[in-house]
Amino acid sequence: MLNLSIVIGVSLILISKNIILLNEETLILLCFITFCYLGFTKLKDSIVKDFEDQKNKIQVELFESFELISNSVSINLKWQKIFPILITNFANLEIHLKNLSSRMVIQLPFIWNYDIRKKYLKKLVFTKRLEQQISKLIILLLIKKIERVTFLKYFYSTKIKIAPFKCNSQILLRQYIETI
């Protein structure tokens, strides 16, 4: 390295001959150069260590990124091999889906018809049971009415003794005898 006394001597000669002007910019430049020289000479071991650490970090990141890129490229290559198979599979799936939907559309009226038949069958069974119950009820009501009528007829003919009722019973008795 240059001797510090030689550098100072040469710079004093240049300043005295007005080759180097001493103004603020020059003083700042001299301070900066001095700072850099002292920083480099005194801190060079720590700076070298820091640069080595940064170099190692950058190297590790480069290797990791290279691994990621190589993995993604290999995955992309696999997908490119699988992609034509997927396209044919999706085409086959589309054909099957169209067949299924067309058959479903064809069968839909039958299914709907079956559901309607099932519902109407239940309604018809319910209506049949309802008719049976109503017919039983009507028969019971008629029996009650006939019972009342016969009771009243008996009452009028035996207790009150109204002549038209006696006559009616005799006419009915004659009709029964004739039918026998």
Side-chain angles (χ1 to χ4, degrees), residues 106-165:
I106 291 169
Q107 292 295 324
L108 191 62
F110 298 118
I111 294 170
W112 188 66
N113 207 3
Y114 176 74
D115 288 341
I116 289 175
R117 277 192 234 149
K118 198 173 174 182
K119 288 177 186 176
Y120 279 121
L121 184 64
K122 286 181 180 179
K123 288 180 181 180
L124 286 173
V125 167
F126 175 74
T127 307
K128 184 179 177 182
R129 283 188 290 162
L130 189 64
E131 284 178 354
Q132 289 173 351
Q133 296 296 326
I134 288 175
S135 65
K136 288 179 183 177
L137 182 66
I138 289 174
I139 290 171
L140 285 175
L141 286 174
L142 285 174
I143 289 173
K144 286 290 183 184
K145 285 285 188 182
I146 291 172
E147 192 177 85
R148 282 186 192 160
V149 166
T150 55
F151 178 73
L152 283 175
K153 200 172 195 184
Y154 174 76
F155 177 74
Y156 287 142
S157 62
T158 57
K159 303 286 182 190
I160 298 184
K161 297 185 181 181
I162 298 176
F165 286 110

Side-chain angles (χ1 to χ4, degrees), residues 44-135:
K44 73 177 176 182
D45 293 334
S46 65
I47 291 174
V48 167
K49 184 181 179 222
D50 187 44
F51 282 152
E52 286 292 324
D53 290 342
Q54 288 182 6
K55 181 186 83 166
N56 291 336
K57 284 181 185 178
I58 291 171
Q59 189 176 15
V60 167
E61 288 177 3
L62 282 175
F63 282 132
E64 288 176 356
S65 67
F66 178 73
E67 287 294 320
L68 286 174
I69 290 171
S70 65
N71 287 339
S72 68
V73 166
S74 65
I75 289 171
N76 283 336
L77 288 174
K78 287 178 186 177
W79 277 108
Q80 286 178 358
K81 289 178 184 176
I82 293 173
F83 192 68
I85 297 169
L86 287 177
I87 289 174
T88 56
N89 286 344
F90 278 118
N92 291 337
L93 182 64
E94 177 188 9
I95 292 168
H96 290 302
L97 184 61
K98 284 181 181 177
N99 289 336
L100 177 67
S101 63
S102 65
R103 289 184 182 173
M104 289 286 291
V105 167
I106 291 169
Q107 292 295 324
L108 191 62
F110 298 118
I111 294 170
W112 188 66
N113 207 3
Y114 176 74
D115 288 341
I116 289 175
R117 277 192 234 149
K118 198 173 174 182
K119 288 177 186 176
Y120 279 121
L121 184 64
K122 286 181 180 179
K123 288 180 181 180
L124 286 173
V125 167
F126 175 74
T127 307
K128 184 179 177 182
R129 283 188 290 162
L130 189 64
E131 284 178 354
Q132 289 173 351
Q133 296 296 326
I134 288 175
S135 65

Side-chain angles (χ1 to χ4, degrees), residues 14-15 18-27 30:
L14 290 176
I15 291 172
N18 283 332
I19 295 174
I20 298 178
L21 297 175
L22 279 182
N23 57 12
E24 293 104 16
E25 289 92 10
T26 310
L27 288 176
L30 285 176

